[in-house]
Amino acid sequence: MSSIREPVVAGIFYPGSASALDDTLTRLFGGPASSSEAALESSVGLVVPHAGYVYSGPTAAAGYQWLATLGRPAWALILGANHTGMGRPISLAQEGTWRTPLGGVPIAAELAGRLVEAGLEISGSAFLREHSIEAQLPFVQFLYGEELPFVPICVMTPSLPELMRAGEAIVGAICDDPGVVVVSSDFTHYEPHAVAQQLDHKAIKQILSLDVEGFYRSLVGERLSICGGGAIVVLMSIARTLGWNRTRLLSYATSGDVSGDRSKVVGYAAISFSGGEHG
């Protein structure tokens, strides 16, 4: 994989020029970038969607607005879905810079190295055409500039023990300065609006209660179309281990709320995970 990853969905999922992208994000956030200048006191987690910004942008912005109030993280892990089937069941990239129209974001090589030592595997092919992680970077850049290092991790839906081992590896690697674990996932795909709401809120209830095993059983047994479901399992296991018991549904919507077509929609949710010190 090249040390520079160029964007693959700029101009498709989000505007392709810096000025148009900044205007879009300013509108989604209701004004210019604003985040606490204080350092984040303890690590937190966040689930946000990754569809085209016209559809999922308001839901994603609600998640990042919550994050912005807590202080500046030292790093971000961005766990995305794997839509292409390329790479390992759980893949990371260890070095390089990812570009968007707003500039380049460096991979946190030291943190990525600790994750590799803990057992996660490097696979550059997983990221070549994958959009779910890329779609989060403009939000991160809008709030924190280009200096916030991150680690991209692409997650399929392997066995529950494999996902939980990944969670354990991450817990062991993030013991230094506080940061944020972001999961990029949409929820139910291409069901009628009412059906999507029913399926999603059942799954969200399991997520909020940190019912890792129950959510995984539903994900696999009921063949839920939550594209980042494996990544959500990893985050839930991290949250349960680290005591991020304060969970909250920050926003929920479907594509039908924007398009008006409720015959086949995609669901979007922003969900926060934190310890007792964060709201």
Side-chain angles (χ1 to χ4, degrees):
M1 186 176 181
S2 169
S3 61
I4 301 294
R5 183 195 184 273
E6 299 292 348
V8 298
V9 292
I12 304 171
F13 277 59
Y14 57 85
S17 72
S19 60
L21 181 53
D22 186 76
D23 288 346
T24 294
L25 290 165
T26 298
R27 176 177 53 79
L28 289 172
F29 280 92
S34 176
S35 60
S36 172
E37 293 300 319
L40 184 67
E41 293 184 4
S42 59
S43 296
V44 296
L46 181 65
V47 173
V48 280
H50 57 240
Y53 285 13
V54 66
Y55 294 107
S56 69
T59 302
Y64 284 104
Q65 283 174 318
W66 169 80
L67 181 62
T69 66
L70 304 182
R72 183 182 179 86
W75 48 263
L77 297 185
I78 305 182
L79 281 63
N82 187 318
H83 293 91
T84 69
M86 299 172 67
R88 306 297 299 162
I90 302 173
S91 306
L92 67 78
Q94 189 173 1
E95 59 185 19
T97 297
W98 285 37
R99 283 183 179 153
T100 79
L102 298 182
V105 183
I107 289 178
E110 183 178 346
L111 176 55
R114 293 202 299 268
L115 291 167
V116 172
E117 291 174 1
L120 297 190
E121 296 183 87
I122 299 171
S123 179
S125 64
F127 305 98
L128 292 176
R129 304 300 303 173
E130 177 55 51
H131 64 273
S132 59
I133 295 170
E134 176 188 326
Q136 303 308 325
L137 289 180
F139 287 97
V140 172
Q141 292 171 300
F142 186 75
L143 290 180
Y144 306 115
E146 300 175 45
E147 297 79 22
L148 183 68
F150 85 112
V151 178
I153 304 176
C154 207
V155 185
M156 299 184 190
T157 309
S159 69
L160 179 58
E162 189 168 355
L163 292 168
M164 295 187 74
R165 282 194 297 271
E168 292 169 3
I170 291 170
V171 167
I174 62 173
C175 55
D176 294 335
D177 296 330
V180 58
V181 180
V182 176
V183 166
S184 180
S185 179
D186 296 335
F187 276 69
T188 293
H189 288 64
Y190 311 129
E191 296 284 356
H193 180 83
V195 173
Q197 284 190 316
Q198 181 180 13
L199 291 171
D200 286 346
H201 284 290
K202 177 185 175 183
I204 289 167
K205 182 177 180 180
Q206 294 171 318
I207 294 168
L208 293 174
S209 64
L210 300 182
D211 181 5
V212 177
E213 295 80 8
F215 176 72
Y216 184 84
R217 283 196 301 270
S218 296
L219 184 67
V220 175
E222 299 175 25
R223 304 177 74 87
L224 299 180
S225 56
I226 301 173
C227 55
I232 293 173
V233 171
V234 174
L235 175 54
M236 291 171 67
S237 70
I238 295 168
R240 199 160 68 178
T241 300
L242 294 180
W244 297 349
N245 299 315
R246 183 166 290 188
T247 58
R248 185 151 56 106
L249 176 62
L250 302 170
S251 180
Y252 177 83
T254 77
S255 57
D257 294 324
V258 174
S259 69
D261 180 0
R262 300 196 170 200
S263 61
K264 290 185 179 180
V265 306
V266 179
Y268 313 120
I271 303 171
S272 63
F273 300 74
S274 63
E277 68 275 18
H278 295 310

